[in-house]
Amino acid sequence: MMNELPTPLSLPDGRMVQLRHATVEDAADLREIERQIIEEARSIVTDEATPIDAWRRDLARDKGGDLWLVAAAGTHAVGLLKLQRPAPRYLHHQRFLSVELHRDYRGVGLGSAMMDAAVRWSRDKGVTLITLGVLDSNARAKRLYERLGFVTCGYIPTFVRLPDGRYVGNSEMMRQLDA
Ligand SMILES: CC(C)(COP(=O)(O)OP(=O)(O)OC[C@H]1O[C@@H](n2cnc3c(N)ncnc32)[C@H](O)[C@@H]1OP(=O)(O)O)[C@@H](O)C(=O)NCCC(=O)NCCS
């Protein structure tokens, strides 16, 4: 199913990464990535790292119309891109995208490669709309999405309220694929 992926990928620094579907064995690595992102507080994942059993359950279940794409370096998962299908039938042409990489694998083009693979998978499945959300505090992610043709279609200036009372805005972005 993932035959169309450009895998293995060679990163600019010589490291090799494989794109594949997520498996239960990825639980601990994906939890560690989630933990890093919570600690950095630049994007919203959840308040606390998801318990390992919940990760395992989620990874084991049938993904239905979702894509859970992992970037693997050897036996370790170093990135996860999810395309989630909303439940209502009339929204099945859409997917909501989220992507997170281990901090040692950022800034080397892996995010772009995973996004490209996700777009190819979407076209293959007849998906015509990809949406996502990105905070003002996450300039790197926003830059990546814009470069890949995502446009801002909504903005909520008071989306996040920090403990000191300041707000952080959130852009809703979309990319339409040819119907
Ligand atoms: C966001 C993320 C997926 C991007 O993937 P990546 O492989 O690191 O992406 P890259 O760094 O190769 O590309 C990002 C772009 O932003 C640029 N960039 C890097 N740091 C930046 C900064 N502080 N401000 C603005 N632009 C920045 C890069 O130059 C690059 O642009 P270019 O390719 O046009 O030169 C990854 O960094 C990540 O997992 N971050 C933590 C989790 C997260 O924020 N997820 C997204 C939630 S919306």
Side-chain angles (χ1 to χ4, degrees):
M1 185 172 152
M2 280 292 170
N3 292 345
E4 73 278 16
L5 296 178
T7 181
L9 286 170
S10 174
L11 301 178
D13 56 12
R15 290 179 295 178
M16 300 297 284
V17 168
Q18 196 93 25
L19 299 188
R20 58 161 172 78
H21 291 284
T23 72
V24 177
E25 283 70 42
D26 296 319
D29 291 332
L30 296 179
R31 187 172 191 271
E32 167 56 18
I33 295 172
E34 183 190 41
R35 193 199 60 73
Q36 290 177 2
I37 291 167
I38 292 169
E39 186 182 277
E40 292 158 6
R42 217 169 291 129
S43 64
I44 314 162
V45 194
T46 162
D47 288 330
E48 289 173 24
T50 309
I52 194 81
D53 287 347
W55 267 109
R56 288 203 186 98
R57 262 197 313 278
D58 245 10
L59 288 162
R61 73 172 166 76
D62 178 15
K63 300 295 181 302
D66 294 358
L67 171 67
W68 286 47
L69 179 66
V70 152
T75 56
H76 286 288
V78 297
L80 174 67
L81 182 151
K82 284 196 269 186
L83 282 176
Q84 293 177 286
R85 187 175 74 176
R89 185 180 332 143
Y90 297 138
L91 305 184
H92 280 187
H93 62 297
Q94 302 186 21
R95 294 294 183 277
F96 182 80
L97 184 147
S98 60
V99 55
E100 47 208 50
L101 307 182
H102 187 286
R103 57 166 72 110
D104 295 346
Y105 283 81
R106 299 179 197 159
V108 286
L110 182 56
S112 306
M114 294 185 81
M115 298 277 296
D116 286 344
V119 168
R120 270 197 306 281
W121 180 92
S122 298
R123 288 190 199 284
D124 192 50
K125 300 285 175 220
V127 170
T128 56
L129 176 65
I130 302 177
T131 64
L132 58 86
V134 59
L135 295 178
D136 289 348
S137 49
N138 205 350
R140 171 161 59 182
K142 191 158 190 207
R143 165 95 185 253
L144 172 68
Y145 301 143
E146 284 169 344
R147 181 160 55 70
L148 295 177
F150 283 78
V151 293
T152 300
C153 51
Y155 182 70
I156 300 177
T158 56
F159 194 75
V160 166
R161 189 168 61 192
L162 299 173
D164 64 7
R166 283 179 303 130
Y167 290 102
V168 182
N170 188 64
S171 299
E172 189 76 15
M173 301 187 83
M174 66 167 186
R175 178 167 167 191
Q176 279 179 301
L177 308 177
D178 297 338

